[in-house]
Amino acid sequence: MLFFVMIALVNGICIVTSRTLNGALARSKNAFYASLINHIVGFLLLSVVLIFRHEQLIIDLSGIPYIAFFGGIIGAFFVVINSYVLPKLGVTLTTLLAISGQVVSGFVLDMINSHVGSSLTLQLIGLLLIIVGVFYQYFKAD
């Protein structure tokens, strides 16, 4: 379990680093350009990894449900939005707001999928504490 926790922490570091680099690129060009470069480089890297793993590079789209392709569309807009707002809000606020959005949407999806069960009250309290904390830290009167 500790191994997976460490991977998740490294993933968080990668996300913030990626946002920062894309934000710098967006500042010098624009957010869509930064997203395009991000996805081209990512595609090339994954292609090389697949080649070295000797995996088939034949893409068969026949068994994939259409809804699955929306993940790529959402991912592209995620990078564009982050590249656009990061230079204006800074790394910390952008990250906190993105995580808050993830927590809120995760809570809503759990409610829709009825996987919350008896912990609904605790999850709602946690959600409210996160939102209050973000507002207190970044929107308080100086």
Side-chain angles (χ1 to χ4, degrees), residues 4-51:
F4 296 111
V5 169
M6 295 307 293
I7 289 175
L9 289 173
V10 169
N11 186 42
I13 293 168
C14 291
I15 290 170
V16 171
T17 304
S18 174
R19 285 179 182 165
T20 304
L21 295 172
N22 287 333
L25 182 56
R27 205 178 355 249
S28 68
K29 297 289 185 179
N30 64 56
F32 286 98
Y33 181 84
S35 182
L36 178 66
I37 296 301
N38 177 283
H39 285 88
I40 288 172
V41 171
F43 170 77
L44 292 174
L45 174 70
L46 291 176
S47 297
V48 169
V49 168
L50 288 175
I51 289 169

Side-chain angles (χ1 to χ4, degrees), residues 12 45 52 72 75 124 133:
L45 174 70
F52 281 108
L124 187 56

Side-chain angles (χ1 to χ4, degrees), residues 17-109:
T17 304
S18 174
R19 285 179 182 165
T20 304
L21 295 172
N22 287 333
L25 182 56
R27 205 178 355 249
S28 68
K29 297 289 185 179
N30 64 56
F32 286 98
Y33 181 84
S35 182
L36 178 66
I37 296 301
N38 177 283
H39 285 88
I40 288 172
V41 171
F43 170 77
L44 292 174
L45 174 70
L46 291 176
S47 297
V48 169
V49 168
L50 288 175
I51 289 169
F52 281 108
R53 288 188 61 189
H54 305 292
E55 304 238 355
Q56 278 188 315
L57 292 178
I58 299 170
I59 299 173
D60 179 19
L61 304 178
S62 62
I64 301 173
Y66 292 121
I67 192 78
F69 293 104
F70 285 104
I73 294 169
I74 293 168
F77 277 110
F78 172 79
V79 174
V80 169
I81 291 167
N82 272 293
S83 298
Y84 180 72
V85 300
L86 188 129
K88 293 166 179 31
L89 299 178
V91 177
T92 303
L93 183 55
T94 300
T95 301
L96 283 174
L97 291 172
I99 290 170
S100 296
Q102 291 171 1
V103 170
V104 169
S105 62
F107 178 78
V108 169
L109 287 173

